[in-house]
Amino acid sequence: MVKEVSEEEKRVEEEFEPLIVAFCCNWCSYAGADLAGTSRFEYPTNIRIIRVMCTGRIDPTFVLEALRMGADGVLVAGCHPGDCHYQKGNYIMEKRFSYIKKAVESIGIEPERVRLEWISASEGGKFAALVRELTQQMKQLGPSPFRLMNDPK
Amino acid sequence: MEEEPRIGVFVCHCGVNIGGIVNVPEVTEYAKKLPFVTYAEHNLYTCSEAGLAAIKTAIKEYNLNRVVVASCTPRTHEPLFRGTCKEAGLNPYLFEMANIRDQCSWVHMHEAEKATVKAKDLVRMAVAKAALLEPQTEPEVEVKDVSLVIGAGVAGMTAALSMANQGFKVYLVDRDKEPGGIVRRLYKLYPTLADSSEVIDPLIEVVKSHKNIDLLTSMTLKEVLGYVGNFHVTLTSSGGDKDIDVGTIIVACGALNYRPPKGLYQYGVYDKVITQEELDGVLKRGNVGEPERIVMIQCVGARKGEIRPSELEAFPRSDTAELLRKILKARKEEGWPYCSRICCMNAIKNAILVKERSPKTDVVILFGDLRVYKEYEDFYRMARDLEVRFVRHIEEVPPEITQRSDGKLEVAAYDALSGLEVKFPTDWVVLSTPLRPRRSEVLLARMLKVPISTDGFLMEAHLKLRPVDTNVDGVFLAGTVSGPKDIPESIISGEAAAARASILMGNRKVVTDAITAVVDEGLCIGCGLCEEICPYGAPKIEDRKSKVREILCRGCGSCAAECPRRAITMRHFGEHQVLAQVKALLMPEA
């Protein structure tokens, strides 16, 4: 898909490559990312996946520390409602995520830098599309304030 | 003092799959400079015999105590590499993978340079985690070679018999006074038109007289404690309670025939509007007579009532029991969302039986979709040869049933081919209704901790790959408890569940994953949050401290993330291990 890009957008794109940390659950979203690979769905290289067994494992600290250390965006991805391998880890995460979002806002970071998504093991295409979307979004947001603080140059 | 990590890194070319995009030698050289990396090499195929041998040799030669393989996904290859580590005398949990194929070379094929940078990042992250890995022991438990089968229908009896014939002791429990389930109450069976008693009676006889089967009728479950291999079950009846200890449980308590509410298609209003089950009874008693016409209506209360958006909204915050209650309430009038699988064949069978007894009767089957699969196509043709009329109607417009002045019923429906209204004066209207889940299963599912699907049936562990397993180790499903099935399918699932349970009981022991929660009792204040959120009941507060029963813990880690005192650590996915990956990615120098 070719889209007209303005000069301004082009400039931002050339200058800045965001880094996105993704915490994916083993059973659905990590498998969905694997499927994107098996299906050869191309997406930007800006994402790094950390595997956990369940989104329920993802401590708010994981997300906040990733941001503090300079991640431009953090994705939390798990099984669709009702599909959790551990029955309700994703519901626990969903509830927890509203607090995470508030915490992120309260430290002066755009809440759009953190995302919660449900991706099943069969949604390779969705995963690839999501990474494209997130990368674009982070490019528009620009480098995270913490990244600038950690790395002033 | 603990040994300093000595990490070996093996970067895989995967033929050209990785090596064609990512600069593998460069990544290998990069890995050599990472903290604690003693040795690094690249292989054409790390998972090949030569690749695995190279890992084993390097472990010995360089005295490696951690291994990182940068190749494909741990979801398929971790067990293989773990096994290799084990063979070389290394604890299998001292192994970590970096997925530089599925999540790198395969998705960044046009950005080789960036893909190489990413591969280095992924290797660095894996090495950082590997340095902090700890050896783990997979807990092993004894499995009692006794099984409990809940429900003595055709599936339950089949499962019980299969296990009993292998020499295992089986408790076969049923809430009814007599075994036999739904099949015992049926008349003739499709497609053979044999009496149901020909199928079920011999089975009942064998089960009753088998020395390894303890048949307990008029009994239900009261409580289930314990875990795979060691379930402690309390059964209850009017005569009192009975405690048994079993190693495996097969749930085969079946389903019910859906009875339409009064007024749906005038059911309960006119006494000549009946269900297929009731027609079965009429045929059995020989009371069908020689009516001019019988109209059957398919999918009454089935394939209806899709879950509405408002129900879905409530879903994330409800547990399974609440969800089921909601669905049940919504379905009360609308029926059930699924295809019940057996009703088409059942209607055709009863149509044939009517035609055999009264060839002049015009039998009309009103359907939206007719589903006759596998060899049943022949049975459908047989009905057509007997001049049973199949009329496709517009399902969205439910047929209307009225009584004429002469006392006959009249069915008005919209013909799907012409789009016109057609009217059938008729003596009987027969409603084909689905099998539906039992309400009492909510309690049972709760006791066993087996989830319920959105259709209301007990849910299998994997729809395709594990159709008789549940998410609970040692608990299996047979028959219609997991969804509508006909008799051959129920027998197959009964045999399958018995085979799955027999593997456990035959081995007499089971190994479970070492990824479990560990409580630091010094930090724990006994708040009970972990106990509250755990879906498996693994943590329990005793003497104001949380105690995790390892064997119940499935390793999701929700408790560790929720613990306000950070007193819970997950084995293999500890906070320090995950954060090490984050730090290695974002602040490698610090």
Side-chain angles (χ1 to χ4, degrees):
Chain A
M1 218 165 42
V2 183
K3 206 185 90 192
E4 285 291 319
V5 276
S6 70
E7 284 304 309
E8 170 62 17
E9 274 174 320
K10 229 179 239 167
R11 197 181 56 81
V12 170
E13 258 177 56
E14 275 162 21
E15 269 176 13
F16 170 56
E17 284 294 346
L19 202 51
I20 301 162
V21 177
F23 293 100
C24 292
C25 84
N26 179 62
W27 306 97
C28 293
S29 302
Y30 192 91
D34 278 349
L35 184 64
T38 337
S39 323
R40 311 294 199 279
F41 292 141
E42 206 170 354
Y43 57 77
T45 60
N46 306 61
I47 197 156
R48 306 286 184 270
I49 296 174
I50 294 176
R51 183 173 71 113
V52 289
M53 294 313 278
C54 176
T55 46
R57 172 67 191 106
I58 300 161
D59 198 306
T61 317
F62 297 177
V63 179
L64 297 175
E65 277 292 279
L67 289 171
R68 186 185 68 80
M69 291 185 199
D72 299 298
V74 176
L75 168 67
V76 171
C79 309
H80 283 271
D83 286 355
C84 178
H85 188 75
Y86 305 99
Q87 298 184 23
K88 57 177 193 181
N90 50 357
Y91 298 146
I92 296 172
M93 183 66 225
E94 192 190 34
K95 205 169 137 199
R96 191 185 293 151
F97 198 75
S98 58
Y99 306 130
I100 295 178
K101 233 174 166 147
K102 276 191 196 126
V104 167
E105 252 184 305
S106 72
I107 53 171
I109 298 227
E110 299 90 333
E112 302 84 61
R113 291 195 188 273
V114 291
R115 272 282 273 278
L116 175 65
E117 289 285 342
W118 309 133
I119 295 157
S120 80
S122 61
E123 293 176 329
K126 183 177 173 185
F127 183 83
L130 178 65
V131 178
R132 282 195 286 270
E133 186 208 317
L134 279 175
T135 307
Q136 201 52 44
Q137 194 183 9
M138 295 312 142
K139 278 186 178 175
Q140 274 156 13
L141 281 172
S144 114
F146 280 106
R147 180 205 270 262
L148 293 173
M149 239 189 307
N150 299 339
D151 184 12
K153 65 178 186 296
Chain B
M1 207 186 117
E2 232 175 67
E3 224 186 336
E4 180 156 293
R6 297 172 59 81
I7 304 173
V9 181
F10 301 82
V11 188
C12 181
H13 284 264
C14 195
V16 294
N17 281 298
I18 298 170
I21 313 287
V22 171
N23 188 334
V24 171
E26 196 183 311
V27 174
T28 314
E29 285 311 307
Y30 176 80
K32 282 179 183 167
K33 298 187 202 98
L34 291 170
F36 302 116
V37 173
T38 312
Y39 177 76
E41 69 168 62
H42 50 95
N43 325 88
L44 187 57
Y45 289 102
T46 311
C47 64
S48 68
E49 215 168 294
L52 299 177
I55 295 178
K56 283 193 262 189
T57 312
I59 290 175
K60 294 218 164 70
E61 205 163 306
Y62 298 93
N63 195 22
L64 303 176
N65 57 16
R66 306 281 193 284
V67 170
V68 170
V69 171
S71 59
C72 48
T73 173
R75 301 189 76 253
T76 57
H77 279 63
E78 191 176 62
L80 176 74
F81 293 126
R82 274 186 175 175
T84 308
C85 291
K86 202 173 168 187
E87 280 170 35
L90 201 61
N91 184 287
Y93 285 80
L94 297 173
F95 169 79
E96 185 63 25
M97 272 182 102
N99 189 344
I100 61 167
R101 187 188 71 181
D102 306 50
Q103 293 167 18
C104 194
S105 66
W106 272 356
V107 287
H108 310 313
M109 55 286 232
H110 296 112
E111 298 178 282
E113 249 172 68
K114 284 182 180 173
T116 303
V117 172
K118 179 170 173 178
K120 286 179 187 173
D121 282 357
L122 294 175
V123 169
R124 190 169 72 240
M125 291 160 76
V127 165
K129 183 172 180 187
L132 296 173
L133 288 175
E134 285 155 27
Q136 308 290 353
T137 324
E138 291 177 334
E140 192 180 277
V141 281
E142 294 281 318
V143 178
K144 262 195 179 1
D145 58 350
V146 180
S147 189
L148 165 66
V149 179
I150 307 164
V154 67
M157 287 196 290
T158 305
L161 200 57
S162 168
M163 291 187 289
N165 283 341
Q166 295 177 67
F168 300 115
K169 160 110 188 136
V170 181
Y171 291 102
L172 179 58
V173 182
D174 201 286
R175 75 192 103 207
D176 284 353
K177 268 197 294 218
E178 282 293 319
I182 277 188
V183 179
R184 189 168 49 91
R185 292 189 288 272
L186 298 178
Y187 172 39
K188 300 265 187 192
L189 306 177
Y190 68 79
T192 55
L193 299 181
D195 265 22
S196 68
S197 57
E198 285 175 32
V199 171
I200 205 77
D201 288 356
L203 195 55
I204 293 175
E205 282 318 302
V206 184
V207 162
K208 275 184 172 168
S209 59
H210 204 293
K211 65 176 177 18
N212 286 341
I213 297 177
D214 197 346
L215 180 63
L216 305 163
T217 50
S218 306
M219 274 204 152
T220 53
L221 252 71
K222 188 179 175 186
E223 193 176 34
V224 179
L225 297 171
Y227 42 86
V228 56
N230 301 276
F231 293 106
H232 183 76
V233 183
T234 308
L235 304 167
T236 186
S237 71
S238 54
D241 291 355
K242 179 182 172 72
D243 290 331
I244 55 172
D245 290 307
V246 297
T248 57
I249 298 176
I250 291 178
V251 189
C253 50
L256 283 177
N257 272 308
Y258 173 75
R259 274 177 73 95
K262 190 178 172 185
L264 185 68
Y265 296 106
Q266 306 302 327
Y267 182 77
V269 177
Y270 305 127
D271 56 0
K272 289 290 178 77
V273 179
I274 58 173
T275 63
Q276 290 287 0
E277 193 189 16
E278 287 158 348
L279 178 60
D280 243 34
V282 172
L283 287 163
K284 193 172 186 173
R285 291 189 298 271
N287 288 350
V288 72
E290 289 185 335
E292 265 181 64
R293 181 177 285 141
I294 291 180
V295 176
M296 298 181 177
I297 303 174
Q298 296 304 104
C299 299
V300 172
R303 303 168 66 214
K304 300 286 185 318
E306 289 299 315
I307 294 183
R308 290 174 303 223
S310 60
E311 283 181 85
L312 274 178
E313 262 172 37
F315 189 18
R317 265 164 288 282
S318 66
D319 62 16
T320 47
E322 272 173 27
L323 171 72
L324 186 63
R325 264 199 299 277
K326 279 185 75 74
I327 295 174
L328 282 168
K329 201 169 161 244
R331 299 283 173 273
K332 215 169 180 178
E333 286 83 32
E334 298 171 29
W336 297 85
Y338 49 84
C339 165
S340 174
R341 207 171 167 83
I342 59 165
C343 333
C344 285
M345 295 307 303
N346 206 18
I348 293 171
K349 174 206 66 181
N350 279 347
I352 290 172
L353 289 176
V354 169
K355 278 285 193 185
E356 278 182 350
R357 279 157 187 71
S358 168
K360 284 201 181 121
T361 302
D362 180 26
V363 183
V364 177
I365 298 182
L366 280 178
F367 69 96
D369 290 297
L370 200 67
R371 298 175 175 182
V372 287
Y373 54 104
K374 53 180 191 179
E375 70 272 24
Y376 298 148
E377 186 73 23
D378 294 339
F379 201 54
Y380 164 71
R381 283 205 198 97
M382 181 176 160
R384 298 211 62 145
D385 291 344
L386 287 168
E387 289 176 352
V388 172
R389 288 204 285 156
F390 291 87
V391 178
R392 183 172 203 151
H393 73 109
I394 300 173
E395 259 189 302
E396 287 71 24
V397 192
E400 269 179 32
I401 290 147
T402 47
Q403 191 166 32
R404 300 194 315 189
S405 51
D406 64 354
K408 272 207 174 191
L409 296 171
E410 185 173 85
V411 180
Y414 279 86
D415 178 64
L417 287 176
S418 65
L420 298 175
E421 192 176 34
V422 282
K423 288 182 175 168
F424 298 98
T426 182
D427 300 275
W428 300 81
V429 174
V430 185
L431 309 177
S432 292
T433 57
L435 286 172
R436 70 158 179 83
R438 287 173 184 271
R439 283 176 176 78
S440 55
E441 273 164 17
V442 180
L443 273 176
L444 185 71
R446 264 267 171 89
M447 265 190 259
L448 295 165
K449 307 216 162 42
V450 173
I452 291 172
S453 73
T454 45
D455 285 343
F457 291 99
L458 264 63
M459 199 158 89
E460 53 282 84
H462 191 286
L463 191 61
K464 266 190 200 303
L465 303 174
R466 296 173 65 195
V468 296
D469 295 4
T470 67
N471 266 343
V472 183
D473 287 345
V475 179
F476 306 92
L477 304 174
T480 52
V481 74
S482 59
K485 288 177 190 63
D486 64 14
I487 292 170
E489 288 162 345
S490 293
I491 291 173
I492 291 168
S493 69
E495 296 276 11
R500 298 289 292 155
S502 301
I503 293 172
L504 287 174
M505 296 189 292
N507 286 333
R508 305 226 52 174
K509 62 184 179 194
V510 63
V511 174
T512 61
D513 214 341
I515 302 168
T516 52
V518 191
V519 182
D520 181 338
E521 289 197 9
L523 290 173
C524 177
I525 51 168
C527 69
L529 198 58
C530 49
E531 193 179 345
E532 203 176 293
I533 66 162
C534 178
Y536 305 102
K540 206 166 180 69
I541 305 296
E542 280 168 17
D543 302 327
R544 295 186 160 194
K545 296 286 174 197
S546 171
K547 309 256 197 256
V548 175
R549 283 158 301 174
E550 205 178 21
I551 202 75
L552 291 182
C553 177
R554 308 299 305 268
C556 69
S558 293
C559 58
E562 288 287 302
C563 177
R565 293 281 294 165
R566 322 196 73 73
I568 303 178
T569 309
M570 292 311 295
R571 291 196 165 97
H572 211 62
F573 284 91
E575 185 179 328
H576 62 302
Q577 291 162 337
V578 176
L579 287 181
Q581 284 171 280
V582 177
K583 187 165 173 291
L585 171 64
L586 297 161
M587 297 183 120
E589 312 300 334

